[in-house]
Amino acid sequence: MLDRNRQSQLAGSRQALSADLPYDVPQNYGPYGRDHGGRDDGFNPLKLLFYIVQYRWLIVMMAAAGLVAGVIVTMMQTPKYLATTQLEVLVPSAKVFQDIEVVSENSDVRAFLTAREKLKSRALAQRVAFQLGLGEKPDFLFPTPSFSLSNIVYRAFGLSKSPSIEEKTPEEREAIAIKRILDDLTVNLVTNTSLLSITFVDQKPKYASDVANQVAQSFIDQRLDQTSETSDLARQFIQEQVLQVKQKLQKSEEELVTYAKDAGITVTGDDKSLIDSNIEALNTALAMAIQERLDAGRVVSQIEKGRGSSLGPVLESEGLQKLSEKLADLSSQYQQKLGILKPGYPEMQQLQSQIKELQRLYDNGVLAITDSLRLKYQEAQGKEADLKSKLAEMERQQAVFNDKNIKYTILKREVDSNRSQYDSLITKLNEVGVSSELKTQSAAIVDFASLPVAPYSPRLSINLAIALALFMALTASIIYIIELLNNTFTNPEQVEKELGLAMLGILPLVDDRELIASIADQKSGLSEAYRSLRTSLQFSGAEGAPRSLLVTSSEPSEGKSTTSFKLGQDFAALGARVLLVDGDLRKPNLHRLFGLDNAIGLSNLLTNTVRKDDLAGIFRTTKYPNVTVLTSGTIPPNPADLLSSQKMALILTNLGKRFDLVIIDAPPVVGLSDGPILSRLAEGTLMVVSTNQVTRKSAKTALRRLRAAGANVIGGAMSKFAVNKFDYNYAYKYMNYQYYDYGASTPKIEGKVDDGAGQPAHAKSPAVRRLVRRLRSSVGRFVDRAKSAP
């Protein structure tokens, strides 16, 4: 391989290394290597911004179309006016039964919902239509269509229809008017209030306000009429019921008093008999007696167990406490003197007699207390027995009383029921009497509907916003479909991400007519790009550029022959001896670029059809210093067999010894086996990927075939890259807008092909690409800027 230090020395001051450019860094040495292929997996606002810039003309056109559509839709709609009346519903206190008691509820949501449904009822609509005479107004019965193309003409020229009502019967006109009222009427309950909002919509502002106000007024009148009609009937009915219930109440009270006298039943003020009261008192006393007996029994049980001295009464006795203290003091003295004096000593005997006397007195005191506790226990037992005996006697009396009380309870319940009915009827009679004299309104109009001065619909701003949103959504769908269908490469980042190749160089597009001049001009953008590619190749390996470099591509017409031609010149400019080998034995093109004939060449050398006299002339010198060319020669019938022979490997090995660098221009990989065969014979392989031409699937297939053949693919070069377009390519910072314009005018297109005999690239484009171009140009030349999504 070419040594990097030697190459730098050969270049000298004439060529500065361009290592500061991002795309000059080879694989695994820069930010665009394989390790960074998935960095844009998340949402990228900058990417979205550049998509907007890229499709700006499509977005502008669709936005303009959306605005026009919004205006047209607005013109097609008939103006409508809205009027609103606010009605307050006055709900009386409703009487409901809860827990068998009459209670009052001050607010009932059901009343408001009922009022709302009545306002939307057919009966009320019929009343409104009659009050306003809507059945005789043709402009109300037959309004202009709400949405129609004819509305544009009517609104533009101020025309109006003049419908006729003569063809309709009065009943049909009334039905039409009622239907119109019900369809355009809206009643809503204002939240957390007792107000109802009555809204009516019509094409005429006067109809909108009149109908809204009349609906509220008709609702009030309807409620008043219903109340007035029913008040008299209700009062007469209640008076009859009061007389009947009063007679029943008197009769039931007389029967109750007579039976109580005959049965001897006496009832206290709280409706309880004397027997019930006595039984209740005896139960309370018995419970207390049982508790006392249990407490005394527990104390006696402690006495029986010999624990009388530890009882509370004993411990609380002051006399016993003093005796206990004296006894403890004498015992202490006795124990102290026992260590000095014998028990038979008089003083010791005197202490013993004192201790015994005190102990006797203490025991007698404890015995007296325990005897009193036993006596208390016996008294508690006797009291409990007496109470139980009295309670049993009262229960027998209660059984006799219950038999008599059954009928008494029935009679008393009947009296209470009759009295409750009587009181309720008297109350209702008073209420009906007052309401019949005072016609209280059940609703009141809070705010009358005013005559609307401007239509509420259609609203141009809302229609424009909706149309713009719909068209922008359609635009986004179109852009997404375009990006989805376009499966080519548009920027170097896609190549690195999809293929996993280091981007060694980016070659700008130039026009076919300017190709030769751009290659010859060392200050042109194309020449500068190839020098950057040469620099990247110098740093592609640990020892510099490979001694043998295969240049290939996925498909024809991607610029590999031009790349081989220019790389040979650039490496030769560093002083290296370069040999260009045309390895395309099917459609050779390298000899055309150098202006040489192709009479003899590589194929003749492989088939031994070259004479010894011509052997030296098979390697042709060119007008470019240090550049030698080995053309393809006669096109053989079996190129793959010749290239896979041992002689081909032997030739490349010998040529690698004679030259510093051997560049092989190989045929495309897809569909042919020549490229993979040659790739395993070269130290390194450079894959040329054209912008907006080769599909990603084709490039992946080609790279997979090369690696399967054992090729050392050192990186890729992106050809035909348009740097004069302000689009998403700049987000990747491979180059700025005027990079290739430094010192010379910016080239436009690199149209030279490697297999087309000098013809322009578009002459060899597939039919599908030509169809796509026609489709793109038919929609305003904006879809041709479509780029595939990274």
Side-chain angles (χ1 to χ4, degrees):
M1 304 180 75
L2 292 178
D3 182 65
R4 261 186 288 178
N5 295 328
R6 176 175 176 270
Q7 293 170 358
S8 300
Q9 294 172 0
L10 290 173
S13 60
R14 176 184 166 192
Q15 174 65 42
L17 295 178
S18 305
D20 58 329
L21 297 176
Y23 60 86
D24 283 336
V25 184
Q27 183 177 359
N28 300 328
Y29 282 88
Y32 299 102
R34 295 182 185 178
D35 295 338
H36 302 269
R39 65 186 176 190
D40 291 336
D41 292 340
F43 174 72
N44 189 350
L46 183 61
K47 176 179 176 181
L48 179 62
L49 174 62
F50 277 100
Y51 269 126
I52 294 174
V53 175
Q54 176 182 347
Y55 292 98
R56 56 190 178 275
W57 296 116
L58 174 61
I59 295 174
V60 169
M61 293 178 61
M62 294 298 287
L67 295 177
V68 173
V71 173
I72 293 175
V73 169
T74 303
M75 295 294 293
M76 294 174 63
Q77 292 180 287
T78 302
K80 292 184 178 181
Y81 296 85
L82 181 143
T84 301
T85 300
Q86 284 194 337
L87 181 70
E88 182 181 7
V89 179
L90 306 176
V91 182
S93 298
K95 305 265 188 325
V96 297
F97 285 95
Q98 179 178 345
D99 297 334
I100 320 181
E101 293 181 1
V102 177
V103 298
S104 174
E105 291 187 354
N106 294 324
S107 61
D108 190 356
V109 178
R110 293 176 298 177
F112 299 112
L113 298 178
T114 302
R116 185 181 68 177
E117 295 302 321
K118 286 184 176 180
L119 285 167
K120 296 163 59 178
S121 64
R122 182 177 180 84
L124 188 64
Q126 185 178 13
R127 187 166 186 159
V128 171
F130 175 78
Q131 292 289 340
L132 297 178
L134 298 179
E136 303 299 328
K137 298 179 179 180
D139 52 349
F140 181 83
L141 297 176
F142 308 104
T144 305
S146 299
F147 188 82
S148 175
L149 289 173
S150 60
N151 291 340
I152 299 178
V153 179
Y154 297 145
R155 296 183 64 180
F157 297 99
L159 302 178
S160 61
K161 290 184 179 180
S162 55
S164 175
I165 62 174
E166 298 177 355
E167 300 178 356
K168 302 291 183 180
T169 63
E171 291 77 11
E172 292 176 341
R173 294 197 298 269
E174 181 184 16
I176 295 174
I178 293 173
K179 185 177 184 304
R180 277 224 55 208
I181 294 174
L182 295 177
D183 291 342
D184 297 330
L185 180 66
T186 304
V187 181
N188 293 316
L189 176 64
V190 181
T191 307
N192 298 327
T193 67
S194 60
L195 299 179
L196 290 175
S197 177
I198 304 172
T199 303
F200 189 76
V201 178
D202 196 83
Q203 298 175 5
K204 302 292 183 181
K206 182 173 177 55
Y207 287 152
S209 60
D210 289 349
V211 172
N213 291 329
Q214 187 60 46
V215 167
Q217 189 61 48
S218 297
F219 175 76
I220 296 174
D221 296 342
Q222 186 184 53
R223 295 287 294 269
L224 290 176
D225 292 344
Q226 293 175 353
T227 304
S228 178
E229 292 174 0
T230 57
S231 294
D232 295 337
L233 294 176
R235 183 173 183 178
Q236 182 180 358
F237 174 77
I238 293 175
Q239 288 176 346
E240 295 175 357
Q241 294 294 320
V242 167
L243 293 176
Q244 296 178 6
V245 173
K246 183 178 181 181
Q247 295 175 0
K248 291 173 60 178
L249 177 60
Q250 292 176 352
K251 183 179 178 181
S252 61
E253 287 178 344
E254 292 174 357
E255 292 179 353
L256 177 63
V257 172
T258 302
Y259 179 76
K261 290 180 179 180
D262 295 342
I265 298 176
T266 303
V267 181
T268 61
D270 54 356
D271 293 338
K272 289 184 179 180
S273 64
L274 292 175
I275 297 176
D276 290 336
S277 301
N278 293 335
I279 291 175
E280 183 176 353
L282 286 174
N283 281 325
T284 303
L286 179 61
M288 295 176 62
I290 292 173
Q291 184 63 38
E292 291 177 359
R293 191 260 303 169
L294 291 176
D295 294 340
R298 283 192 292 270
V299 173
V300 172
S301 176
Q302 294 293 327
I303 295 173
E304 297 296 335
K305 294 179 180 180
R307 301 175 183 174
S309 60
S310 61
L311 295 175
V314 175
L315 297 176
E316 295 173 356
S317 175
E318 294 182 359
L320 293 178
Q321 289 296 327
K322 292 180 179 179
L323 289 175
S324 178
E325 292 176 356
K326 291 181 179 180
L327 183 61
D329 184 47
L330 291 175
S331 298
S332 175
Q333 294 179 12
Y334 181 82
Q335 291 296 329
Q336 291 179 357
K337 294 180 178 181
L338 187 62
I340 302 174
L341 303 177
K342 294 182 179 180
Y345 195 75
E347 185 178 352
M348 297 295 288
Q349 291 179 354
Q350 184 181 1
L351 287 174
Q352 289 179 359
S353 59
Q354 290 178 358
I355 291 172
K356 289 180 180 179
E357 181 63 21
L358 290 175
Q359 184 67 43
R360 185 183 64 78
L361 293 174
Y362 181 81
D363 292 341
N364 290 336
V366 172
L367 180 62
I369 292 174
T370 55
D371 289 343
S372 65
L373 292 175
R374 285 192 179 97
L375 181 60
K376 185 178 180 181
Y377 175 67
Q378 292 174 358
E379 291 176 354
Q381 287 179 329
K383 183 179 180 180
E384 180 182 354
D386 292 341
L387 289 174
K388 287 182 177 180
S389 175
K390 291 180 180 179
L391 181 61
E393 182 180 355
M394 294 303 296
E395 287 177 350
R396 287 192 295 272
Q397 295 179 8
Q398 177 69 21
V400 177
F401 175 78
N402 287 339
D403 294 338
K404 298 178 180 180
N405 192 48
I406 292 175
K407 186 174 180 181
Y408 177 84
T409 303
I410 295 174
L411 294 174
K412 187 176 183 303
R413 188 182 301 118
E414 185 178 357
V415 170
D416 294 340
S417 177
N418 291 334
R419 183 178 290 111
S420 176
Q421 293 181 20
Y422 180 76
D423 294 340
S424 177
L425 290 173
I426 291 297
T427 303
K428 288 183 179 294
L429 182 61
N430 295 332
E431 292 176 355
V432 171
V434 174
S435 62
S436 62
E437 296 176 1
L438 301 176
K439 294 185 177 180
T440 305
Q441 292 184 347
S442 61
I445 298 177
V446 177
D447 190 11
F448 286 93
S450 60
L451 188 68
V453 296
Y456 93 101
S457 174
R459 297 179 63 180
L460 181 60
S461 58
I462 295 179
N463 289 344
L464 291 179
I466 295 175
L468 190 61
L470 292 176
F471 274 77
M472 288 299 98
L474 179 61
T475 304
S477 302
I478 293 174
I479 294 174
Y480 176 77
I481 293 174
I482 291 173
E483 295 292 325
L484 191 65
L485 295 179
N486 191 353
N487 196 27
T488 60
F489 295 98
T490 60
N491 55 67
E493 180 73 10
Q494 295 174 354
V495 177
E496 295 175 347
K497 183 177 180 180
E498 297 289 340
L499 303 182
L501 290 178
M503 187 51 55
L504 302 181
I506 302 173
L507 311 176
L509 283 82
V510 298
D511 190 80
D512 294 332
R513 296 167 294 183
E514 301 176 3
L515 179 61
I516 302 300
S518 297
I519 293 176
D521 185 5
Q522 297 302 316
K523 294 184 179 181
S524 66
L526 184 61
S527 298
E528 191 67 35
Y530 276 115
R531 282 194 293 271
S532 299
L533 175 59
R534 177 195 64 187
T535 303
S536 298
L537 289 172
Q538 289 176 310
F539 287 88
S540 61
E543 299 180 1
R547 295 293 298 272
S548 57
L549 177 66
L550 179 77
V551 181
T552 186
S553 63
S554 304
E555 297 177 354
S557 306
E558 293 195 59
K560 54 180 173 43
S561 295
T562 305
T563 300
S564 301
F565 173 73
K566 187 58 179 173
L567 283 178
Q569 297 180 31
D570 291 339
F571 273 105
L574 297 178
R577 294 170 299 168
V578 180
L579 172 64
L580 289 174
V581 179
D582 193 347
D584 192 348
L585 303 183
R586 302 175 187 270
K587 297 174 66 176
N589 189 51
L590 199 58
H591 64 282
R592 296 189 180 92
L593 296 178
F594 283 97
L596 303 174
D597 64 84
N598 196 25
I600 58 175
L602 179 61
S603 62
N604 303 94
L605 193 61
L606 292 174
T607 57
N608 293 324
T609 58
V610 58
R611 294 177 300 178
K612 291 183 179 182
D613 298 340
D614 299 332
L615 189 59
I618 199 172
F619 296 95
R620 306 183 184 186
T621 59
T622 63
K623 62 181 180 180
Y624 305 103
N626 297 330
V627 177
T628 306
V629 179
L630 175 60
T631 60
S632 63
T634 306
I635 297 178
N638 53 347
D641 296 339
L642 295 179
L643 296 177
S644 61
S645 63
Q646 295 182 356
K647 192 172 184 178
M648 181 64 189
L650 182 61
I651 290 174
L652 289 180
T653 302
N654 292 331
L655 292 177
K657 296 177 181 179
R658 293 178 55 188
F659 296 91
D660 296 327
L661 176 62
V662 177
I663 299 177
I664 306 171
D665 180 22
V669 177
V670 176
L672 301 175
S673 60
D674 302 5
I677 291 173
L678 289 173
S679 66
R680 64 183 180 182
L681 301 178
E683 291 186 7
T685 299
L686 176 66
M687 187 171 179
V688 178
V689 180
S690 59
T691 306
N692 291 329
Q693 179 176 335
V694 63
T695 63
R696 302 184 189 186
K697 182 177 181 181
S698 178
K700 289 181 180 179
T701 302
L703 182 61
R704 185 166 56 249
R705 290 192 63 193
L706 289 174
R707 288 176 174 168
N712 177 26
V713 183
I714 59 176
M718 196 166 192
S719 63
K720 304 180 182 180
F721 187 76
V723 298
N724 61 336
K725 294 182 179 181
F726 185 78
D727 55 17
Y728 185 58
N729 294 326
Y730 299 97
Y732 293 84
K733 298 182 181 179
Y734 279 92
M735 59 195 69
N736 58 42
Y737 184 78
Q738 295 181 345
Y739 171 75
Y740 287 124
D741 197 31
Y742 182 75
S745 60
T746 304
K748 296 181 179 179
I749 303 175
E750 185 196 6
K752 187 66 179 180
V753 298
D754 47 351
D755 294 321
Q759 297 180 5
H762 59 79
K764 291 294 184 178
S765 299
V768 175
R769 296 194 62 202
R770 292 197 299 270
L771 178 60
V772 171
R773 287 196 186 95
R774 295 192 188 99
L775 292 176
R776 290 176 178 175
S777 61
S778 65
V779 293
R781 295 180 180 244
F782 54 83
V783 185
D784 58 336
R785 301 175 58 81
K787 310 296 182 182
S788 64

